[in-house]
Amino acid sequence: MTPEEFHKYYPRLLGWIDNTLRAHAESARTVASRGFSRLPLYFSANTLMSAKVVPVDQLPIPPLSSWGLTRFADFERGTFDGITYLDTFFLKRGALRNEAIHFHELIHVIQWRILGPENFLRLYADGLERFGYRDSPLEIMAHDAEAAFTANDVFDAEKMVAQKLS
Ligand SMILES: [Zn+2]
């Protein structure tokens, strides 16, 4: 994606995210309220109190193809269980009791926070375009951390993301 193209689509994407978050604000709950026992070993209380989760039947994905960005069509079909926008992630209902998926999406919340929306979206779009969903760098970071979480390694997840992005 050229810088000009990113510049053109960024405001539209941000507007779509803002509308989507507003439309679901009433069903958003804090991650802390979900009561998972291991997440507090990896994330600060502040993060768990501010990050939110929204249960959905279908994940909201920006209509990139209809905006003319057809090369992200694979991503739009999204075979994943969750997606994060800023400090809020959407989860398919079947994933609501899955602590590892919450962990994975929280890694994205930290990425959004550290990078800021513009850099997050630029890096994410660039990774998708060059490597595809599963092998994009921000996804690899989240998947690797999730694997370590599942293997019971304990580490400061917020520090880990900060170090990897620096
Ligand atoms: Zn992910």
Side-chain angles (χ1 to χ4, degrees):
M1 181 176 269
T2 63
E4 292 74 25
E5 221 181 354
F6 183 80
H7 202 70
K8 174 182 165 193
Y9 286 106
Y10 175 64
R12 196 185 293 194
L13 200 46
L14 216 51
W16 180 91
I17 289 171
D18 190 46
N19 284 338
T20 300
L21 293 179
R22 279 172 206 266
H24 291 86
E26 279 184 22
S27 44
R29 299 288 177 268
T30 67
V31 174
S33 75
R34 307 298 304 160
F36 287 114
S37 61
R38 292 182 58 220
L39 295 180
L41 302 175
Y42 300 81
F43 297 96
S44 70
N46 226 7
T47 293
L48 298 176
M49 288 295 288
S50 59
K52 282 161 282 202
V53 52
V54 180
V56 286
D57 293 318
Q58 208 158 13
L59 298 177
I61 314 252
L64 302 170
S65 304
S66 71
W67 294 349
L69 280 169
T70 49
R71 61 192 180 278
F72 299 106
D74 275 357
F75 177 71
E76 268 180 86
R77 282 190 280 275
T79 50
F80 29 86
D81 286 317
I83 192 157
T84 301
Y85 300 111
L86 299 162
D87 64 353
T88 300
F89 55 89
F90 294 80
L91 284 188
K92 288 187 184 162
R93 295 183 197 279
L96 282 178
R97 290 171 188 272
N98 187 325
E99 191 170 16
I101 291 176
H102 285 71
F103 177 92
H104 177 109
E105 299 304 329
L106 282 167
I107 295 292
H108 290 314
V109 169
I110 306 300
Q111 292 170 340
W112 273 98
R113 184 200 290 165
I114 293 174
L115 292 167
E118 186 165 352
N119 282 329
F120 178 92
L121 290 168
R122 185 183 285 122
L123 269 182
Y124 201 90
D126 185 61
L128 265 187
E129 195 166 23
R130 289 165 61 197
F131 308 107
Y133 164 73
R134 185 59 180 81
D135 293 318
S136 64
L138 293 174
E139 281 304 335
I140 286 183
M141 191 191 302
H143 279 106
D144 286 353
E146 181 187 344
F149 174 82
T150 304
N152 283 318
D153 292 349
V154 178
F155 53 95
D156 182 330
E158 299 185 33
K159 198 180 276 179
M160 182 279 289
V161 175
Q163 276 165 356
K164 293 207 170 192
L165 289 176
S166 69

